[in-house]
Amino acid sequence: MNIDSSLQSKRILSIDILRGIVMIIMALDHTRDFFHIGAMTANPLDPQTTTGILFFTRWITHFCAPIFVFLSGLSAYLSSQHKTPAKASIFLFKRGTWLIVVEIVIISLGLTFNPFYNFVILQVIWVIGWSMILLGLMSRISHKAVLIIGLIIIFGHNIFNLFPPPEGEGLALLLKVFFTAFGTVVPLNQDHLLGVFYAILPWTGIMFLGYGIGAWYKQGFSTEIRKQNLMITGSLTIFLFFFLRFINLYGDPAPRKEYDDLFKNLLSFFNVSKYPPSLQYTAMTIGTAMLFLAFTEKMSTWFSRITSVYGAVPFFYYVIHFYLLHTILVIAFYATGFTNEQIVQVPFWFRPSDFGFSLTMVYVIWIAVIIALYLPCKWFKKYKETHKQWWLRYV
């Protein structure tokens, strides 16, 4: 979520830099989904079958969604400082509802290119929307309540992994949608399916945490104390990840596996669960984000100037990058000899399971897409800074 338009001239550069890096890396994962030859048939995180570079290509993108959600909560706090509690709550509710509609209507179409919406995919924008709605409600109680509830969710939701799932379609489905989700496909009718791939509440906990530390960024807060808080909290969070991963008892639905090979054991150690975001996964990613924010508070380099452009307009970037990638996919589909009879695929049209290129080509396409999106993002960033239309607060 972007900071409110009234704050455009006072943007916090470290937040935009981190969010920009996240947006750039995120596109790598989606490029791999669309263009890598093994994306539809193999698990890049399986230590038994993957390679080091393929594992890294998928693993590094694990940092994107949680940091994006975390920064959305942080930005929501900053935006709320220039509104009454009631207005801030209403805005979060409206923007959350809008994002859910965007996920279903715009993002799902960009992902699938299926104009009939036979398979609707619910992912990160879906959970950001629901999390904003819940944040709008809980923030009316108090800032402390939001932080405490967020921590309870983050630390406690993996307790469901210790018990067998409930029987019965109604309760089991609700539990999946709110706590576990991944692989949950809900048939709406004979021709339409709903794929829920992001559980709501574990991601809500991450957004609540971001909202909680937003107080360190409010006007007048000491820069040195903020940096110290981020360094201490980030270091302890990273330590928690290593501790939980070593003892291998709680905090991830897929416990660490032991192999006879040192390299495979290393991959297994870092192969934490994203769906839903486990405590170990959250500690690994959010701890890193806090340390990054601590050390980039005053960064001013060519790298920071470029990445902050993407980070200043994440919603705009997120939407158009899907349509650009899928348009390139359509061109590659026909250029490599596929025909109209092979267009209809599940979940992505124009994406047969035997289509694809090497990982090297995936990186080439990814870099080309990032470069192509720079000027549009720079233009829209400037447009938002110089215009005050109400709808700009929602994009």
Side-chain angles (χ1 to χ4, degrees), residues 55-80:
F55 181 93
F56 176 80
T57 300
R58 178 65 180 106
W59 176 82
I60 193 63
T61 65
H62 270 2
F63 289 80
C64 299
I67 294 177
F68 190 47
V69 174
F70 174 75
L71 294 179
S72 295
L74 199 164
S75 295
Y77 178 88
L78 295 177
S79 178
S80 70

mmCIF file of all heavy atoms in Angstrom, residues 55-80:
data_model
loop_
_atom_site.group_PDB
_atom_site.id
_atom_site.type_symbol
_atom_site.label_atom_id
_atom_site.label_comp_id
_atom_site.label_asym_id
_atom_site.label_seq_id
_atom_site.Cartn_x
_atom_site.Cartn_y
_atom_site.Cartn_z
ATOM 1 N N PHE A 55 17.019 -23.621 -7.135
ATOM 2 C CA PHE A 55 16.534 -23.454 -5.762
ATOM 3 C C PHE A 55 16.607 -21.991 -5.354
ATOM 4 O O PHE A 55 15.643 -21.434 -4.822
ATOM 5 C CB PHE A 55 17.365 -24.308 -4.807
ATOM 6 C CG PHE A 55 16.919 -24.222 -3.366
ATOM 7 C CD1 PHE A 55 16.016 -25.145 -2.852
ATOM 8 C CD2 PHE A 55 17.401 -23.216 -2.523
ATOM 9 C CE1 PHE A 55 15.597 -25.070 -1.523
ATOM 10 C CE2 PHE A 55 16.984 -23.122 -1.197
ATOM 11 C CZ PHE A 55 16.088 -24.054 -0.693
ATOM 12 N N PHE A 56 17.743 -21.350 -5.626
ATOM 13 C CA PHE A 56 17.909 -19.949 -5.246
ATOM 14 C C PHE A 56 16.907 -19.055 -5.974
ATOM 15 O O PHE A 56 16.348 -18.128 -5.371
ATOM 16 C CB PHE A 56 19.336 -19.483 -5.556
ATOM 17 C CG PHE A 56 19.553 -18.019 -5.286
ATOM 18 C CD1 PHE A 56 19.788 -17.575 -3.991
ATOM 19 C CD2 PHE A 56 19.499 -17.090 -6.311
ATOM 20 C CE1 PHE A 56 19.974 -16.221 -3.720
ATOM 21 C CE2 PHE A 56 19.691 -15.738 -6.058
ATOM 22 C CZ PHE A 56 19.923 -15.301 -4.759
ATOM 23 N N THR A 57 16.653 -19.340 -7.250
ATOM 24 C CA THR A 57 15.719 -18.532 -8.038
ATOM 25 C C THR A 57 14.336 -18.526 -7.418
ATOM 26 O O THR A 57 13.663 -17.486 -7.392
ATOM 27 C CB THR A 57 15.651 -19.065 -9.479
ATOM 28 O OG1 THR A 57 16.953 -19.002 -10.065
ATOM 29 C CG2 THR A 57 14.687 -18.246 -10.329
ATOM 30 N N ARG A 58 13.919 -19.671 -6.904
ATOM 31 C CA ARG A 58 12.607 -19.743 -6.247
ATOM 32 C C ARG A 58 12.671 -19.246 -4.805
ATOM 33 O O ARG A 58 11.796 -18.502 -4.353
ATOM 34 C CB ARG A 58 12.089 -21.194 -6.264
ATOM 35 C CG ARG A 58 10.736 -21.382 -5.562
ATOM 36 C CD ARG A 58 9.641 -20.645 -6.281
ATOM 37 N NE ARG A 58 8.347 -20.802 -5.638
ATOM 38 C CZ ARG A 58 7.721 -19.853 -4.929
ATOM 39 N NH1 ARG A 58 8.284 -18.674 -4.787
ATOM 40 N NH2 ARG A 58 6.552 -20.077 -4.377
ATOM 41 N N TRP A 59 13.739 -19.618 -4.098
ATOM 42 C CA TRP A 59 13.831 -19.284 -2.679
ATOM 43 C C TRP A 59 13.924 -17.788 -2.432
ATOM 44 O O TRP A 59 13.282 -17.261 -1.524
ATOM 45 C CB TRP A 59 15.048 -19.988 -2.069
ATOM 46 C CG TRP A 59 15.285 -19.636 -0.635
ATOM 47 C CD1 TRP A 59 14.665 -20.161 0.467
ATOM 48 C CD2 TRP A 59 16.215 -18.651 -0.134
ATOM 49 N NE1 TRP A 59 15.147 -19.573 1.612
ATOM 50 C CE2 TRP A 59 16.105 -18.645 1.266
ATOM 51 C CE3 TRP A 59 17.132 -17.798 -0.744
ATOM 52 C CZ2 TRP A 59 16.872 -17.810 2.081
ATOM 53 C CZ3 TRP A 59 17.901 -16.963 0.050
ATOM 54 C CH2 TRP A 59 17.767 -16.964 1.446
ATOM 55 N N ILE A 60 14.681 -17.068 -3.239
ATOM 56 C CA ILE A 60 14.854 -15.635 -3.015
ATOM 57 C C ILE A 60 13.532 -14.888 -3.162
ATOM 58 O O ILE A 60 13.309 -13.864 -2.514
ATOM 59 C CB ILE A 60 15.926 -15.054 -3.982
ATOM 60 C CG1 ILE A 60 16.340 -13.640 -3.557
ATOM 61 C CG2 ILE A 60 15.422 -15.054 -5.408
ATOM 62 C CD1 ILE A 60 16.996 -13.558 -2.202
ATOM 63 N N THR A 61 12.629 -15.422 -3.958
ATOM 64 C CA THR A 61 11.329 -14.773 -4.139
ATOM 65 C C THR A 61 10.413 -15.010 -2.937
ATOM 66 O O THR A 61 9.349 -14.384 -2.837
ATOM 67 C CB THR A 61 10.634 -15.255 -5.428
ATOM 68 O OG1 THR A 61 10.324 -16.646 -5.317
ATOM 69 C CG2 THR A 61 11.525 -15.030 -6.638
ATOM 70 N N HIS A 62 10.823 -15.913 -2.016
ATOM 71 C CA HIS A 62 10.060 -16.098 -0.781
ATOM 72 C C HIS A 62 9.980 -14.821 0.040
ATOM 73 O O HIS A 62 9.069 -14.655 0.860
ATOM 74 C CB HIS A 62 10.717 -17.192 0.073
ATOM 75 C CG HIS A 62 10.196 -18.568 -0.206
ATOM 76 N ND1 HIS A 62 9.254 -18.833 -1.161
ATOM 77 C CD2 HIS A 62 10.474 -19.764 0.388
ATOM 78 C CE1 HIS A 62 8.986 -20.126 -1.170
ATOM 79 N NE2 HIS A 62 9.711 -20.706 -0.242
ATOM 80 N N PHE A 63 10.938 -13.934 -0.150
ATOM 81 C CA PHE A 63 10.971 -12.714 0.644
ATOM 82 C C PHE A 63 9.958 -11.678 0.160
ATOM 83 O O PHE A 63 9.670 -10.720 0.891
ATOM 84 C CB PHE A 63 12.384 -12.110 0.601
ATOM 85 C CG PHE A 63 13.404 -12.908 1.368
ATOM 86 C CD1 PHE A 63 13.973 -14.041 0.824
ATOM 87 C CD2 PHE A 63 13.774 -12.530 2.643
ATOM 88 C CE1 PHE A 63 14.903 -14.781 1.531
ATOM 89 C CE2 PHE A 63 14.706 -13.261 3.368
ATOM 90 C CZ PHE A 63 15.268 -14.398 2.808
ATOM 91 N N CYS A 64 9.422 -11.870 -1.018
ATOM 92 C CA CYS A 64 8.612 -10.813 -1.636
ATOM 93 C C CYS A 64 7.263 -10.608 -0.963
ATOM 94 O O CYS A 64 6.957 -9.502 -0.488
ATOM 95 C CB CYS A 64 8.427 -11.108 -3.126
ATOM 96 S SG CYS A 64 9.990 -11.168 -4.039
ATOM 97 N N ALA A 65 6.433 -11.632 -0.930
ATOM 98 C CA ALA A 65 5.076 -11.463 -0.402
ATOM 99 C C ALA A 65 5.050 -11.014 1.051
ATOM 100 O O ALA A 65 4.329 -10.062 1.396
ATOM 101 C CB ALA A 65 4.277 -12.752 -0.592
ATOM 102 N N PRO A 66 5.815 -11.649 1.964
ATOM 103 C CA PRO A 66 5.720 -11.202 3.358
ATOM 104 C C PRO A 66 6.219 -9.778 3.570
ATOM 105 O O PRO A 66 5.634 -9.027 4.356
ATOM 106 C CB PRO A 66 6.590 -12.220 4.119
ATOM 107 C CG PRO A 66 7.478 -12.819 3.091
ATOM 108 C CD PRO A 66 6.681 -12.833 1.830
ATOM 109 N N ILE A 67 7.290 -9.393 2.867
ATOM 110 C CA ILE A 67 7.790 -8.026 3.019
ATOM 111 C C ILE A 67 6.801 -7.033 2.423
ATOM 112 O O ILE A 67 6.563 -5.950 2.970
ATOM 113 C CB ILE A 67 9.183 -7.886 2.373
ATOM 114 C CG1 ILE A 67 10.193 -8.746 3.142
ATOM 115 C CG2 ILE A 67 9.632 -6.438 2.365
ATOM 116 C CD1 ILE A 67 11.589 -8.745 2.545
ATOM 117 N N PHE A 68 6.201 -7.385 1.301
ATOM 118 C CA PHE A 68 5.191 -6.537 0.675
ATOM 119 C C PHE A 68 4.018 -6.313 1.622
ATOM 120 O O PHE A 68 3.544 -5.183 1.803
ATOM 121 C CB PHE A 68 4.735 -7.199 -0.625
ATOM 122 C CG PHE A 68 3.875 -6.325 -1.498
ATOM 123 C CD1 PHE A 68 4.227 -5.024 -1.775
ATOM 124 C CD2 PHE A 68 2.707 -6.829 -2.064
ATOM 125 C CE1 PHE A 68 3.436 -4.219 -2.595
ATOM 126 C CE2 PHE A 68 1.911 -6.039 -2.880
ATOM 127 C CZ PHE A 68 2.274 -4.731 -3.144
ATOM 128 N N VAL A 69 3.544 -7.396 2.262
ATOM 129 C CA VAL A 69 2.423 -7.295 3.199
ATOM 130 C C VAL A 69 2.840 -6.510 4.441
ATOM 131 O O VAL A 69 2.093 -5.665 4.947
ATOM 132 C CB VAL A 69 1.920 -8.704 3.575
ATOM 133 C CG1 VAL A 69 0.846 -8.623 4.664
ATOM 134 C CG2 VAL A 69 1.361 -9.415 2.342
ATOM 135 N N PHE A 70 4.035 -6.790 4.946
ATOM 136 C CA PHE A 70 4.578 -6.100 6.115
ATOM 137 C C PHE A 70 4.662 -4.597 5.880
ATOM 138 O O PHE A 70 4.235 -3.788 6.706
ATOM 139 C CB PHE A 70 5.960 -6.687 6.409
ATOM 140 C CG PHE A 70 6.728 -5.997 7.500
ATOM 141 C CD1 PHE A 70 6.394 -6.188 8.834
ATOM 142 C CD2 PHE A 70 7.812 -5.185 7.194
ATOM 143 C CE1 PHE A 70 7.119 -5.560 9.840
ATOM 144 C CE2 PHE A 70 8.542 -4.562 8.187
ATOM 145 C CZ PHE A 70 8.194 -4.746 9.518
ATOM 146 N N LEU A 71 5.192 -4.203 4.719
ATOM 147 C CA LEU A 71 5.309 -2.785 4.394
ATOM 148 C C LEU A 71 3.937 -2.151 4.142
ATOM 149 O O LEU A 71 3.761 -0.943 4.355
ATOM 150 C CB LEU A 71 6.204 -2.588 3.173
ATOM 151 C CG LEU A 71 7.678 -2.970 3.358
ATOM 152 C CD1 LEU A 71 8.461 -2.739 2.070
ATOM 153 C CD2 LEU A 71 8.311 -2.200 4.513
ATOM 154 N N SER A 72 2.983 -2.938 3.688
ATOM 155 C CA SER A 72 1.622 -2.424 3.535
ATOM 156 C C SER A 72 1.047 -2.013 4.886
ATOM 157 O O SER A 72 0.388 -0.984 5.015
ATOM 158 C CB SER A 72 0.719 -3.478 2.880
ATOM 159 O OG SER A 72 1.119 -3.750 1.561
ATOM 160 N N GLY A 73 1.308 -2.832 5.902
ATOM 161 C CA GLY A 73 0.861 -2.480 7.241
ATOM 162 C C GLY A 73 1.570 -1.260 7.777
ATOM 163 O O GLY A 73 0.951 -0.376 8.392
ATOM 164 N N LEU A 74 2.876 -1.173 7.543
ATOM 165 C CA LEU A 74 3.651 -0.022 7.990
ATOM 166 C C LEU A 74 3.135 1.261 7.335
ATOM 167 O O LEU A 74 2.933 2.291 7.987
ATOM 168 C CB LEU A 74 5.128 -0.250 7.652
ATOM 169 C CG LEU A 74 6.198 0.575 8.385
ATOM 170 C CD1 LEU A 74 7.573 -0.059 8.194
ATOM 171 C CD2 LEU A 74 6.242 2.017 7.901
ATOM 172 N N SER A 75 2.907 1.189 6.029
ATOM 173 C CA SER A 75 2.411 2.359 5.299
ATOM 174 C C SER A 75 0.993 2.730 5.732
ATOM 175 O O SER A 75 0.636 3.910 5.734
ATOM 176 C CB SER A 75 2.452 2.088 3.791
ATOM 177 O OG SER A 75 3.783 1.940 3.346
ATOM 178 N N ALA A 76 0.206 1.726 6.091
ATOM 179 C CA ALA A 76 -1.148 2.011 6.584
ATOM 180 C C ALA A 76 -1.084 2.823 7.870
ATOM 181 O O ALA A 76 -1.890 3.737 8.086
ATOM 182 C CB ALA A 76 -1.907 0.705 6.809
ATOM 183 N N TYR A 77 -0.129 2.501 8.711
ATOM 184 C CA TYR A 77 0.029 3.279 9.954
ATOM 185 C C TYR A 77 0.408 4.718 9.634
ATOM 186 O O TYR A 77 -0.148 5.663 10.202
ATOM 187 C CB TYR A 77 1.092 2.641 10.848
ATOM 188 C CG TYR A 77 1.316 3.429 12.121
ATOM 189 C CD1 TYR A 77 0.539 3.179 13.244
ATOM 190 C CD2 TYR A 77 2.276 4.438 12.194
ATOM 191 C CE1 TYR A 77 0.714 3.913 14.418
ATOM 192 C CE2 TYR A 77 2.458 5.184 13.345
ATOM 193 C CZ TYR A 77 1.685 4.913 14.457
ATOM 194 O OH TYR A 77 1.853 5.649 15.604
ATOM 195 N N LEU A 78 1.375 4.911 8.739
ATOM 196 C CA LEU A 78 1.813 6.256 8.387
ATOM 197 C C LEU A 78 0.675 7.062 7.776
ATOM 198 O O LEU A 78 0.499 8.247 8.075
ATOM 199 C CB LEU A 78 2.996 6.187 7.423
ATOM 200 C CG LEU A 78 4.282 5.571 7.976
ATOM 201 C CD1 LEU A 78 5.342 5.490 6.885
ATOM 202 C CD2 LEU A 78 4.796 6.357 9.163
ATOM 203 N N SER A 79 -0.090 6.434 6.921
ATOM 204 C CA SER A 79 -1.224 7.119 6.305
ATOM 205 C C SER A 79 -2.265 7.517 7.348
ATOM 206 O O SER A 79 -2.868 8.589 7.275
ATOM 207 C CB SER A 79 -1.857 6.215 5.247
ATOM 208 O OG SER A 79 -2.979 6.821 4.663
ATOM 209 N N SER A 80 -2.463 6.672 8.355
ATOM 210 C CA SER A 80 -3.494 6.931 9.365
ATOM 211 C C SER A 80 -3.146 8.121 10.252
ATOM 212 O O SER A 80 -4.037 8.686 10.900
ATOM 213 C CB SER A 80 -3.695 5.687 10.236
ATOM 214 O OG SER A 80 -2.572 5.467 11.082
#
